[in-house]
């Protein structure tokens, strides 16, 4: 948990650098370097999470489509055996 001392003791730039470092360690993002601005760090984190969300949506769509295909194939096999 982030304590209130951490939130209020740091400048805004240091705060976002700390948040970026936490996310970077968890998800293997590029390390924070001296030329990276606060805006870059926010942009990288937002881009990363948007890509993760899009991946989950795509995976959900593909798995539901796969389940539809498998269900249709099972009903066709069942119908063929009954005939």
């Amino acid at each position: 948990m982030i304590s209130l001392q951490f939130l209020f003791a740091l400048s805004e730039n240091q705060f976002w650098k700390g948040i970026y470092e936490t996310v970077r360690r968890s998800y293997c993002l590029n390390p924070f370097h001296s030329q990276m601005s606060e805006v870059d760090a926010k942009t990288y984190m937002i881009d990363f999470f948007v890509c993760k969300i899009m991946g989950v949506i795509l995976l959900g769509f593909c798995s539901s489509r796969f389940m539809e295909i498998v269900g249709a194939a099972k009903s066709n096999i069942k119908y063929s055996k009954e005939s």
Side-chain angles (χ1 to χ4, degrees):
M1 292 298 274
I2 298 177
S3 69
L4 290 177
Q5 289 177 338
F6 175 77
L7 292 174
F8 294 117
L10 299 176
S11 68
E12 188 173 348
N13 191 30
Q14 291 173 331
F15 172 75
W16 284 109
K17 181 179 177 184
I19 296 295
Y20 182 82
E21 284 297 317
T22 303
V23 172
R24 182 190 72 79
R25 288 184 188 133
S26 299
Y27 297 105
C28 300
L29 298 176
N30 293 330
F32 197 93
H33 51 81
S34 60
Q35 289 90 18
M36 184 183 288
S37 69
E38 173 188 336
V39 174
D40 291 337
K42 289 178 185 177
T43 303
Y44 291 157
M45 285 189 293
I46 291 169
D47 288 347
F48 175 75
F49 286 118
V50 167
C51 288
K52 285 289 189 184
I53 291 168
M54 289 171 39
V56 167
I57 292 170
L58 180 62
L59 184 60
F61 172 77
C62 291
S63 63
S64 68
R65 183 70 181 133
F66 176 75
M67 294 304 287
E68 288 175 14
I69 292 169
V70 169
K74 283 183 179 179
S75 67
N76 287 341
I77 291 172
K78 185 178 180 181
Y79 180 75
S80 296
K81 288 183 180 180
E82 290 176 357
S83 299

